[in-house]
Amino acid sequence: MPPAPKEAATAPPVAAMEGITADDREEIALWKKILAEWQEYRNGAKSKKRADEEFVAYLKEQHPGMKFSQRILYRKLEAANRQGDMALLDRRGRHGNHAKAIPDAVFDIFEYYYLDESRKTVARCMELTELEIRRNRGELQQCLPLASLSTFARAVDRIPVPVLKYYRFGEKAFRDECAPYVKRIYEDLASNDIWVCDNHTFDVFVDGGEGSRPVRVYLTGFLDVRSRKMVGWYVTDAPRSDATLYALRRGIEKYGIPRMVYSDNGREFLTHDIGGRGFRKSAKTDGHEPPTILRHLGIEFRTALVKNAKAKIIERAFREVKECFSRLFDGYTGGTTAERPERLKKTGRLASNFTLLEEFAGYVDVYIEGHFNKQPHKGDGMGGRTPDQVYAQCLYEQRVARPDQLNLMMLRNSRMVKVQRSGVCLKLYDRELYFNSDELLMGHIGEKVYFRYDPDHLEEVRVYDEQDRFLCTAQQKGALSYFASKEEVQKAMKENRELEKAVKAYMKKKGIEAEDALKLILEEAAARMEEPEGINPKVVIPVRMQEAALEEGVYMEAVGAEPIDWSKALERFRAAKAEQEEDHGRGKQHDV
C-alpha cells in the first residue's frame, strides 16, 4: 500500500505560470480537480485502500487516454504539496537532458546551406551537410547517419521567420514582410506639402499603330501625400526624364508647386538637371554644378531607401490602378505568367482588338480624373473622403508661377562644356545638335559654360557662365550634307561671314582712333636720340697701337711724337716675374 500523504511543505514553484502554455494550464487544473475529488471520496470511506481502488477505476473510465494508479495519485499529491501546482505537469521530455535528434553543431552546418537565397530543399541541404561532415568535420562523424527528413523539416519550422525571410528571400522581403513598419501621421500635412513620384508598368498590351507590334506602356505619376490625389501623370512608351518633367509640369500647371518631391532612386528622377545625381554622383566630379530644375522651382528633393516600397504610398495607388483599370482591357497581361489570361496564352501578342496607344492614354486621363481621384478612400487621415475632397479641404497655401516664368524654370540643363569654334553641342537621342551665335564666339570662346533648353523647342538655347549668370542665346546650326544645294551653301557661308563682319567692325564700333604705329615709333625714337647717355666712368685707361717699331725696344708714342724707350720697363718686368716664380717654388704667394 502506498504511503500516506505527507503534510504540505513550502517550496518555490518549479516554473513561473507565465512561462507555460494554455494546454499546460489545463493539465494542472485537471489534476487539481482529480486530487480534490480523490481526497473527498476517500475521506468518507471506511477502507482507504478500497476507496483508492474504486477511485482509480472511476478515473480510467472517465479519462481513457490517461494512465492512473494509486502510486500515481500519491506521487502527484506529494509533489503538489512540496513544490506547488507546477509539479502537477508531466515534465517527461522537457528537461533537455536527453540526446537531441539533431546536435546543434550538425544543425549549424545544415543552416549554412539552407539559409541561402538559392533556396535549396531540405533534402539537398541534408546531403551537403553529410558531405561536409564526412570530408571536413571528423569530430562530428559520430553523428552520422543524420536524422530523418521529417525531423529536419520540423527543425526548419523552428527557425525564426524573419531569419528565413532575410536569408532565403532577400532584404526586400524581410523589410516588406517582417521589419517593423513606421506608421505615418498624415494629419500634420497639408495639400502640396509632399508629392511622391514613381513609374508604373501597365499590365496591358496596347496597339502601337502603323503595323507595329503591341507594346506595354508606362505611367509616370505624382501623388499628393496628404490627399492621395494623383496630381500629375504622363503615359509614355519608356520611363525617362522627359516623361517625369511632363508629368510634373502637368501637376504644377493645375495645382501649383509642391514644397517637396519624394521619389525612388531611378535614373529618370536622379538626372543631373532634375533632382541631381544623388548617390550616383561621382567623387571625381569637380567644377560648377548647374542648378537643377527642382532647385529653380524651390522644391526640396528627397529619395527613398533602395528597394523600400513601403516608403512610397504611390505603390499602393498603382496596385489599385492595376486591379480597377488594367484588368478591364482585352490586352491585360497579368503581372506574372500565372496571372496571364487564357486568351493571351493562345494568341500571344497578335490579338487585333488591342486598344490604340493614343486611345489608351485618353482612357488613363478619364480614369484618374473621374474615378481614381473621386473614389472614397479608407486610408489613414482620409476618413472615407475622396482624394479630391481631402485635397481641397487641406489646401492652405498654393505656390504658383506665371507661364513664362514656369517655362524658364523648367528648362533643362546641359553639363558644363567649353565653347568651341562650333559653339556648344547638345547630345540628344544619339544626335549631336550644335548651337552658336556671334555673341557666344566673340565673348566666350574657350570658356566653360552650360546652356538650358526646351526639348520641344530646340531652335535656340540660353547660355550661362559658372556663376549662373545669363550670357546670351545661341541658335541651332545644322550641318550641311555633301549634296546640299547651292542656296543652302550660300546661306551657311553668309552666316559665317556675319562673324567676320562683326570682328572687322569691332574697333570701329568702339570708336578707337590713333596714329600710325610706325610713325608713332619713329617719332618717339627721334625724340630719345637727343637725350644724353649719362656715361661717367671713374677710371679711364687709354689703349694705343703703333704701326711699326723704329728700333729694338723703342716705339713711337704717336704720329709726330718723340720715341719712348721701353727696354728698362721690360727689364724690370722680367726681374719681377722671375722673383714671383722663385717665391712660388718656396710655397709663397706674391702679389703683382
Side-chain angles (χ1 to χ4, degrees):
M1 178 177 178
K6 298 180 181 179
E7 296 294 331
T10 59
V14 296
M17 290 293 289
E18 291 82 359
I20 62 177
T21 65
D23 292 339
D24 291 339
R25 294 190 183 94
E26 290 181 4
E27 183 180 350
I28 292 173
L30 176 61
W31 273 109
K32 289 177 67 175
K33 180 182 178 182
I34 290 173
L35 293 177
E37 292 177 351
W38 174 45
Q39 292 300 305
E40 184 180 355
Y41 184 77
R42 74 193 306 270
N43 287 338
K46 294 181 180 180
S47 173
K48 303 296 184 184
K49 180 180 179 181
R50 186 183 179 96
D52 290 345
E53 292 173 352
E54 291 175 353
F55 192 75
V56 169
Y58 163 77
L59 290 176
K60 290 181 178 179
E61 291 180 0
Q62 294 296 318
H63 306 281
M66 297 177 65
K67 294 178 65 175
F68 294 100
S69 67
Q70 294 181 52
R71 187 173 185 82
I72 291 175
L73 291 175
Y74 277 97
R75 190 176 70 245
K76 288 285 187 181
L77 182 60
E78 183 178 7
N81 289 337
R82 286 183 176 276
Q83 298 179 326
D85 294 343
M86 293 295 295
L88 297 175
L89 281 175
D90 184 2
R91 305 195 66 82
R92 288 176 296 179
R94 303 190 187 202
H95 49 74
N97 294 330
H98 59 282
K100 293 182 178 180
I102 307 176
D104 290 341
V106 173
F107 195 69
D108 288 345
I109 299 174
F110 172 83
E111 282 188 311
Y112 175 83
Y113 296 112
Y114 188 76
L115 297 177
D116 185 79
E117 290 188 16
S118 61
R119 303 180 199 173
K120 293 180 281 290
T121 64
V122 173
R124 179 57 179 160
C125 292
M126 289 176 62
E127 294 175 8
L128 294 171
T129 301
E130 183 173 347
L131 185 61
E132 169 67 15
I133 291 174
R134 291 187 184 280
R135 290 191 175 184
N136 305 311
R137 307 294 178 96
E139 72 278 5
L140 294 179
Q141 289 192 9
Q142 60 189 5
C143 301
L144 299 178
L146 299 177
S148 65
L149 177 63
S150 60
T151 302
F152 272 91
R154 287 194 299 271
V156 166
D157 290 339
R158 293 193 292 272
I159 298 176
V161 173
V163 174
L164 285 173
K165 288 294 182 182
Y166 183 86
Y167 287 100
R168 283 182 69 86
F169 296 90
E171 185 176 356
K172 185 178 187 302
F174 165 76
R175 287 180 175 174
D176 291 346
E177 301 179 33
C178 301
Y181 177 67
V182 179
K183 189 175 179 62
R184 304 280 188 173
I185 299 177
Y186 293 93
E187 285 79 358
D188 59 351
L189 292 176
S191 299
N192 284 358
D193 274 357
I194 304 174
W195 287 4
V196 60
C197 58
D198 202 0
N199 293 307
H200 168 69
T201 305
F202 284 108
D203 294 328
V204 179
F205 278 139
V206 298
D207 188 350
E210 298 181 0
S212 63
R213 291 173 60 85
V215 295
R216 293 176 67 177
V217 291
Y218 302 83
L219 175 67
T220 299
F222 283 81
L223 190 83
D224 178 66
V225 172
R226 177 62 186 94
S227 63
R228 280 50 151 216
K229 175 185 177 71
M230 193 73 74
V231 289
W233 62 91
Y234 185 76
V235 176
T236 176
D237 58 350
R240 56 178 181 266
S241 56
D242 287 345
T244 302
L245 291 180
Y246 292 146
L248 177 62
R249 175 151 191 158
R250 186 173 185 177
I252 289 175
E253 288 177 340
K254 194 167 185 179
Y255 300 106
I257 303 172
R259 295 185 178 277
M260 180 190 298
V261 164
Y262 192 65
S263 81
D264 65 7
N265 291 274
R267 293 183 180 275
E268 60 274 13
F269 305 112
L270 287 180
T271 304
H272 72 280
D273 60 339
I274 296 181
R277 297 291 293 167
F279 74 94
R280 293 192 175 98
K281 184 177 179 181
S282 173
K284 298 180 180 179
T285 303
D286 56 1
H288 180 66
E289 294 246 351
T292 64
I293 291 175
L294 296 184
R295 179 179 167 187
H296 282 300
L297 292 167
I299 299 174
E300 182 182 354
F301 180 62
R302 293 187 183 180
T303 57
L305 292 175
V306 179
K307 298 182 180 180
N308 185 20
K310 287 184 177 179
K312 298 179 297 177
I313 60 172
I314 196 170
E315 296 280 1
R316 282 160 262 170
F318 287 154
R319 285 198 295 271
E320 182 178 340
V321 171
K322 173 183 176 180
E323 296 299 323
C324 300
F325 180 71
S326 298
R327 288 183 180 272
L328 305 181
F329 289 86
D330 291 335
Y332 175 69
T333 66
T336 63
T337 304
E339 291 183 354
R340 180 167 297 185
E342 189 67 25
R343 61 178 180 269
L344 282 187
K345 293 180 180 179
K346 294 180 179 179
T347 61
R349 297 189 180 187
L350 302 179
S352 59
N353 55 346
F354 290 157
T355 306
L356 288 172
L357 176 57
E358 293 78 9
E359 294 180 357
F360 182 82
Y363 294 154
V364 172
D365 293 343
V366 174
Y367 166 75
I368 292 178
E369 289 193 41
H371 182 86
F372 182 90
N373 287 341
K374 298 185 183 300
Q375 281 290 103
H377 200 292
K378 297 180 181 179
D380 293 339
M382 297 295 290
R385 296 170 293 176
T386 69
D388 279 353
Q389 291 171 338
V390 176
Y391 180 88
Q393 294 170 9
C394 298
L395 182 61
Y396 303 110
E397 183 178 287
Q398 190 177 40
R399 301 167 61 225
V400 298
R402 298 197 318 265
D404 59 330
Q405 288 296 312
L406 188 59
N407 290 338
L408 187 59
M409 289 187 288
M410 296 197 70
L411 291 176
R412 303 210 59 174
N413 292 346
S414 73
R415 300 180 186 277
M416 297 299 298
V417 296
K418 185 177 288 188
V419 180
Q420 306 288 345
R421 291 175 56 191
S422 55
V424 292
C425 177
L426 171 63
K427 293 184 179 180
L428 193 66
Y429 305 122
D430 298 327
R431 290 186 59 194
E432 292 185 349
L433 303 179
Y434 288 88
F435 298 85
N436 212 337
S437 68
D438 295 345
E439 186 175 358
L440 179 64
L441 291 184
M442 282 291 295
H444 309 288
I445 190 168
E447 295 180 5
K448 282 190 174 182
V449 300
Y450 70 92
F451 54 90
R452 305 181 65 205
Y453 61 94
D454 181 352
D456 292 332
H457 302 283
L458 292 172
E459 294 83 6
E460 70 175 17
V461 297
R462 297 173 60 86
V463 185
Y464 296 77
D465 66 10
E466 292 184 286
Q467 283 73 45
D468 304 319
R469 295 175 299 194
F470 173 70
L471 299 178
C472 62
T473 60
Q475 291 70 43
Q476 184 180 157
K477 306 294 184 181
L480 287 181
S481 166
Y482 281 102
F483 301 100
S485 64
K486 178 180 178 181
E487 291 75 15
E488 291 173 332
V489 174
Q490 289 178 342
K491 181 181 179 181
M493 293 180 64
K494 181 180 179 182
E495 292 177 353
N496 291 341
R497 284 195 295 269
E498 293 297 325
L499 176 62
E500 185 178 347
K501 291 180 180 179
V503 173
K504 290 180 178 179
Y506 178 80
M507 296 177 66
K508 185 176 182 181
K509 287 182 178 179
K510 286 194 170 186
I512 299 175
E513 293 182 0
E515 292 285 351
D516 178 75
L518 177 60
K519 181 180 179 182
L520 188 64
I521 291 296
L522 292 178
E523 289 180 353
E524 178 69 11
R528 290 182 178 181
M529 287 176 62
E530 304 297 330
E531 297 178 1
E533 296 186 38
I535 299 175
N536 186 23
K538 294 181 180 180
V539 178
V540 178
I541 300 177
V543 178
R544 298 179 177 86
M545 176 180 173
Q546 298 297 330
E547 292 293 332
L550 298 178
E551 60 183 25
E552 183 179 356
V554 180
Y555 298 89
M556 294 297 294
E557 182 180 11
V559 178
E562 295 292 331
I564 300 174
D565 187 359
W566 291 95
S567 59
K568 293 183 179 180
L570 291 174
E571 185 177 351
R572 288 196 300 269
F573 177 77
R574 293 189 186 99
K577 185 176 180 181
E579 184 180 358
Q580 181 182 3
E581 291 177 351
E582 182 179 355
D583 291 342
H584 182 70
R586 293 195 299 265
K588 295 182 179 180
Q589 292 184 351
H590 186 78
D591 295 331
V592 178

